[in-house]
Amino acid sequence: MIQASSRDTREETHWIYNLDRLRVWDFSRIYGISSTIRGIRSFNWIGEIWQGRGNLTFLHHLDLSQNQFSDIIPPSLFRLPRLHFLNLSLNSLHGEIPYNMSSSLITLDLNGNYISGSIPSSLGYLSKLSFVYLFNNSLTGRIPPSLGNLSSLQHLDLYRNQLEGSMPEEIGNHPSLEYLQVSGNKLSGELPASLFNLSSAYAFGVAGNNFEGMIPTTFGNTLPNLVGLLIGLNQFKGPIPASLPNASKLYIIDMSNNKFNGIIPSGLGRLRGLSVVKLEYNQLEANDHSSWQFLDALTNCSHLKILSLLDNKLSGTLPQSIANLSTTVQWVTFNFNQISGSIPSGIGNLVNLITLTLGSNLLTGAIPESIGKLARLELLNLNHNMLTKTLPSSIGNLTQLEYLRLENNGFEGPIPPSIGNLNSLAKLIIHENNLNGNIPKEVFGLPSILILSLAFNSLTGPIPSEIAGWKYLRELYFLENSLFGEIPSSMSACVRLEVLDLSSNFIQGTIPPSMGDLKGLIRLDLSKNYLTGKIPEALGMLRSLEYLNFSFNRLVGEVPREGIFLNTTATSLQGNYGLCGGVLDLHLPACPHISSSEKRRKLRLPLLAILLPSMCRGYYRSNRHSVPSSVARAGILAISRGQWHSAKSEGRFGLLCGFSTRQGLKSSLPLIKSLYQLIKLSFLVDGNRIRNRFFLFSHSLPMLEMMVIVVKDMEGTIGVECRIVV
């Protein structure tokens, strides 16, 4: 910033006083005008104008818009006697609008600043004022009724302020008013009848307020020049006037987020220039051919781009005519209705579609192969329907797709590998279907994926190491499938991962210590799997972790005492009977001290393990009375041959340990005293009968350590598996 001395200032600004005939001064977007004067604030002479000095009595046009002013609004500029046009828009001006202004003003543009306070009533006494732009400020209070005095008013834009109260009836007294925009305020009450007689108006914007009441039945007749109707986000009710199509110049209709009911006028099809129809979030109805005629009629609108009817009360069969809409259509949303029928195969005709949402309806049948013709599609939502069959491979042609939602349907078969072609895909959500087979490796090559949910399907196979390619992944849901294998250590490359849920699968092996590299992880659920080994200490260092669930696995060893493991309400470790230690509120047993003799005995376990199966699903003996008395006193659980065969045939191996329900589990405590603590059971082997599987089950003879894994199935049954710890 160049700072001049007082002498320099006088020399630099003396010429201002010689501009007594200057009429137009346009210094808009002046910042960076030269390399030596770096912005309008560097001009010493601008201060002279700012303070109203200088002989500018003939100035009638002053434009200082799109600069970097951050001052209080200068009152002097508003008092220049012959000023017709004043534009101070798109700066950072603050303060209030001056009360005294030049009566010569025709255009006042203060939009895009931080101006506060109320609109001065004196504005209504500037008889020549025709164009008022005060939008995008912080104005408060009411709209002054005195604005009704402005007989020449043509444009009034008060959009996005904090104005309150009702709409003055006087505003409707201007036959010349062409542009009315008061959207995005806090106005309320019913609109005065005078507003519906603005026959010259081409823009009518009152959206985003709290207006209520009904729209007059003559609306389309009294506003014949209307191009834009913007009345969404209010509390209007009643039917859409049948006269609306009489406003034949309509280009945009936005009546969304209100309480309109009844049918949609089929006369909308006469509006050949119609481009946008937004009627979402109302109570509009259609349930038969007659009430669906509006959709047939809209096929005549050759410029239609947006048709949004989501969250209404549309029902009945989806007309095939949806496929005959203009090829200019880019946005079709019908979700959250009760529409039945199938998706027409002709949907592929809408080649310029960018958004198609038909979710949360009652649609049946398959996704047509023609969906692959929608090459410009970016969002496809068909969720919460009753769609079936396999996913079409043509989905892979939608290379611009960013958002794909197909969850809560009845899709079956494999995931098509062609989905791997969707390089722009950010969200893939297909949970709660009947998909099966392996997850294609091509899916793991999606470079832009942020959220992926394949939960509640019947997918199988391992999680491949290629998951490391998901550099931007934030949320991953694979729960409730039949995935197996180990958690790949390469998952640590997903450094932006925040949510990981692999619960209720058949995943084995240990938890990779490299998961401690997922520094942004917030939720981690690996419950109901077959994970073994210790919990990595590194997980306790994840400071962003808010929820952790490792319950019902086969984890062993000491629980870390850092990070999430200190928060017992956010940590679930139940069903891992080999865990010990941790904070007291986890209620885990203390970790045992291992003596030197026990360590020597453990060295002989691998040899013994050669003679024993790695999984013991039941233990029985044929002659209960031949159990040695010493063993009986130790608490042997004897299982008869009949119990063995019965449990095996029914697949309920929990019976073999003496319990199959929660109540039965508690009743077994006298036999297995430490079941709710650390289950470290012993296995007594009758060497003479080992090949015949005459095994005895005890808790006190330390020959071989066992873990009892308690697993809850879908029916609430508690099953038991006994794994040898070698």
Side-chain angles (χ1 to χ4, degrees):
M1 182 84 60
I2 299 175
Q3 300 291 339
S5 65
S6 56
R7 178 180 178 181
D8 293 333
T9 301
R10 289 192 299 272
E11 293 176 353
E12 190 174 290
T13 61
H14 73 277
W15 54 274
I16 294 175
Y17 297 92
N18 298 323
L19 299 177
D20 56 340
R21 295 293 176 181
L22 185 67
R23 295 177 180 272
V24 177
W25 196 321
D26 187 345
F27 269 73
S28 60
R29 290 178 291 185
I30 202 67
Y31 52 86
I33 189 172
S34 71
S35 59
T36 55
I37 303 177
R38 298 180 180 148
I40 196 164
R41 296 300 307 277
S42 298
F43 289 85
N44 288 314
W45 45 265
I46 199 64
E48 302 293 315
I49 300 174
W50 205 251
Q51 299 301 324
R53 294 188 288 268
N55 191 9
L56 300 173
T57 56
F58 283 87
L59 189 67
H60 68 72
H61 184 113
L62 178 59
D63 189 344
L64 301 176
S65 63
Q66 300 186 56
N67 283 292
Q68 300 173 2
F69 290 116
S70 57
D71 305 83
I72 294 176
I73 294 180
S76 56
L77 293 185
F78 290 77
R79 295 196 295 265
L80 293 173
R82 292 180 174 82
L83 194 63
H84 295 166
F85 180 95
L86 177 59
N87 187 352
L88 302 178
S89 66
L90 300 172
N91 283 287
S92 298
L93 299 172
H94 57 277
E96 299 186 4
I97 300 173
Y99 189 85
N100 296 317
M101 303 184 215
S102 170
S103 59
S104 299
L105 268 179
I106 296 174
T107 298
L108 176 62
D109 191 347
L110 302 177
N111 89 79
N113 284 285
Y114 300 102
I115 300 171
S116 57
S118 59
I119 300 173
S121 59
S122 60
L123 207 63
Y125 302 104
L126 305 180
S127 59
K128 296 181 181 180
L129 196 59
S130 302
F131 303 93
V132 179
Y133 304 109
L134 304 179
F135 59 95
N136 286 331
N137 279 289
S138 301
L139 296 169
T140 56
R142 294 173 172 268
I143 299 174
S146 63
L147 295 182
N149 300 328
L150 300 176
S151 58
S152 300
L153 189 63
Q154 298 181 43
H155 288 194
L156 177 61
D157 195 337
L158 307 177
Y159 172 68
R160 287 191 68 180
N161 280 282
Q162 301 175 36
L163 300 170
E164 299 176 328
S166 59
M167 191 73 180
E169 187 171 357
E170 292 82 355
I171 299 295
N173 296 335
H174 301 297
S176 59
L177 189 60
E178 300 174 347
Y179 185 93
L180 174 64
Q181 179 59 278
V182 296
S183 299
N185 281 283
K186 300 177 181 179
L187 302 169
S188 58
E190 295 191 9
L191 292 177
S194 61
L195 289 184
F196 300 110
N197 294 318
L198 296 173
S199 57
S200 299
Y202 66 84
F204 189 94
V206 298
N209 286 285
N210 291 304
F211 291 123
E212 57 188 23
M214 299 178 66
I215 304 300
T217 57
T218 58
F219 184 85
N221 300 327
T222 56
L223 288 91
N225 293 303
L226 206 58
V227 174
L229 174 61
L230 308 174
I231 62 175
L233 285 165
N234 281 289
Q235 303 293 324
F236 293 120
K237 61 183 180 179
I240 297 175
S243 66
L244 182 62
N246 294 337
S248 58
K249 299 178 182 179
L250 272 172
Y251 178 82
I252 298 175
I253 299 175
D254 185 353
M255 306 175 74
S256 62
N257 294 82
N258 280 287
K259 299 177 181 179
F260 291 113
N261 56 28
I263 65 172
I264 300 169
S266 59
L268 294 180
R270 302 199 307 269
L271 301 173
R272 300 305 173 89
L274 191 60
S275 178
V276 176
V277 179
K278 290 176 62 62
L279 302 175
E280 69 266 22
Y281 300 108
N282 280 289
Q283 301 170 24
L284 300 168
E285 301 173 10
N287 51 34
D288 54 23
H289 176 72
S290 175
S291 52
W292 273 104
Q293 281 187 345
F294 76 90
L295 191 59
D296 299 339
L298 286 174
T299 61
N300 297 320
C301 301
S302 57
H303 299 284
L304 191 64
K305 291 184 178 180
I306 295 176
L307 176 59
S308 181
L309 291 166
L310 70 92
D311 206 350
N312 278 281
K313 294 184 177 180
L314 307 178
S315 60
T317 303
L318 180 66
Q320 297 289 310
S321 58
I322 191 174
N324 298 326
L325 293 171
S326 172
T327 56
T328 60
V329 169
Q330 299 178 0
W331 189 304
V332 173
T333 60
F334 280 74
N335 38 322
F336 296 105
N337 283 285
Q338 300 175 35
I339 303 170
S340 57
S342 59
I343 301 173
S345 59
I347 199 74
N349 298 333
L350 307 180
V351 292
N352 286 302
L353 264 185
I354 295 175
T355 295
L356 175 61
T357 65
L358 302 174
S360 298
N361 281 289
L362 304 173
L363 297 173
T364 56
I367 299 176
E369 281 284 344
S370 62
I371 201 82
K373 296 180 180 179
L374 306 179
R376 297 188 61 195
L377 203 62
E378 296 178 3
L379 189 157
L380 176 60
N381 185 351
L382 305 176
N383 68 347
H384 292 274
N385 279 286
M386 295 184 287
L387 299 169
T388 55
K389 310 293 183 180
T390 58
L391 299 177
S393 59
S394 62
I395 283 184
N397 297 335
L398 308 178
T399 55
Q400 301 300 311
L401 202 63
E402 298 178 5
Y403 196 9
L404 177 59
R405 295 194 63 171
L406 304 175
E407 75 270 18
N408 291 90
N409 279 286
F411 295 119
E412 55 193 36
I415 297 173
S418 60
I419 285 184
N421 298 332
L422 308 181
N423 290 334
S424 299
L425 196 62
K427 298 181 181 180
L428 174 60
I429 304 176
I430 324 181
H431 59 249
E432 294 195 57
N433 282 283
N434 298 315
L435 300 171
N436 55 40
N438 290 9
I439 304 173
K441 286 193 175 182
E442 290 83 355
V443 171
F444 292 93
L446 293 171
S448 305
I449 197 73
L450 299 177
I451 299 176
L452 176 61
S453 179
L454 304 179
F456 296 96
N457 282 287
S458 299
L459 299 168
T460 59
I463 302 173
S465 59
E466 284 82 355
I467 196 172
W470 288 343
K471 303 295 186 185
Y472 303 101
L473 185 67
R474 294 204 310 262
E475 300 178 23
L476 178 61
Y477 304 94
F478 280 173
L479 63 150
E480 294 287 351
N481 279 285
S482 298
L483 302 176
F484 55 82
E486 299 186 357
I487 300 173
S489 59
S490 59
M491 186 175 286
S492 62
C494 303
V495 292
R496 289 180 171 84
L497 196 61
E498 297 176 358
V499 178
L500 174 61
D501 195 335
L502 306 179
S503 62
S504 298
N505 281 283
F506 297 99
I507 298 173
Q508 303 163 320
T510 60
I511 301 173
S514 59
M515 293 190 72
D517 296 334
L518 301 176
K519 303 300 184 183
L521 204 59
I522 297 173
R523 293 179 61 88
L524 175 60
D525 194 339
L526 306 179
S527 63
K528 299 179 183 178
N529 280 288
Y530 294 86
L531 296 168
T532 57
K534 295 184 177 182
I535 298 175
E537 293 282 346
L539 297 182
M541 305 302 293
L542 297 177
R543 300 307 179 196
S544 60
L545 199 58
E546 298 177 359
Y547 174 82
L548 180 143
N549 190 348
F550 289 169
S551 60
F552 299 108
N553 278 284
R554 299 169 178 180
L555 300 171
V556 298
E558 186 170 7
V559 174
R561 293 174 177 266
E562 291 188 87
I564 189 68
F565 298 100
L566 299 176
N567 185 353
T568 56
T569 60
T571 304
S572 180
L573 300 174
Q574 62 179 321
N576 290 279
Y577 297 105
L579 290 177
C580 62
V583 296
L584 292 177
D585 287 343
L586 288 175
H587 302 294
L588 294 173
C591 294
H593 173 71
I594 302 176
S595 66
S596 58
S597 60
E598 288 176 321
K599 291 180 180 179
R600 287 194 298 271
R601 184 164 56 249
K602 286 179 179 292
L603 293 176
R604 296 196 293 270
L605 290 178
L607 179 61
L608 191 58
I610 296 174
L611 303 176
L612 298 176
S614 62
M615 289 294 297
C616 299
R617 290 180 172 172
Y619 313 96
Y620 67 92
R621 59 186 309 279
S622 59
N623 187 352
R624 184 182 184 90
H625 300 289
S626 64
V627 177
S629 59
S630 61
V631 176
R633 286 194 301 272
I636 292 175
L637 183 62
I639 305 297
S640 69
R641 187 183 297 273
Q643 287 175 307
W644 162 258
H645 288 296
S646 174
K648 183 178 180 182
S649 63
E650 295 179 13
R652 297 174 68 183
F653 296 106
L655 293 171
L656 299 176
C657 293
F659 48 89
S660 59
T661 64
R662 291 186 181 275
Q663 189 61 35
L665 179 63
K666 293 178 181 178
S667 66
S668 300
L669 287 178
L671 292 176
I672 308 174
K673 297 179 180 178
S674 58
L675 190 58
Y676 274 151
Q677 300 174 3
L678 174 63
I679 304 298
K680 285 196 171 181
L681 301 172
S682 300
F683 200 75
L684 178 62
V685 179
D686 182 345
N688 296 325
R689 296 180 178 180
I690 188 168
R691 65 183 61 184
N692 294 320
R693 293 187 300 184
F694 288 113
F695 300 151
L696 302 178
F697 192 42
S698 171
H699 76 282
S700 64
L701 299 180
M703 290 183 60
L704 185 67
E705 291 188 0
M706 304 291 298
M707 287 193 306
V708 175
I709 310 301
V710 181
V711 182
K712 180 181 178 182
D713 66 17
M714 295 296 290
E715 298 177 355
T717 300
I718 299 293
V720 172
E721 296 176 357
C722 304
R723 175 181 284 270
I724 299 173
V725 180
V726 187

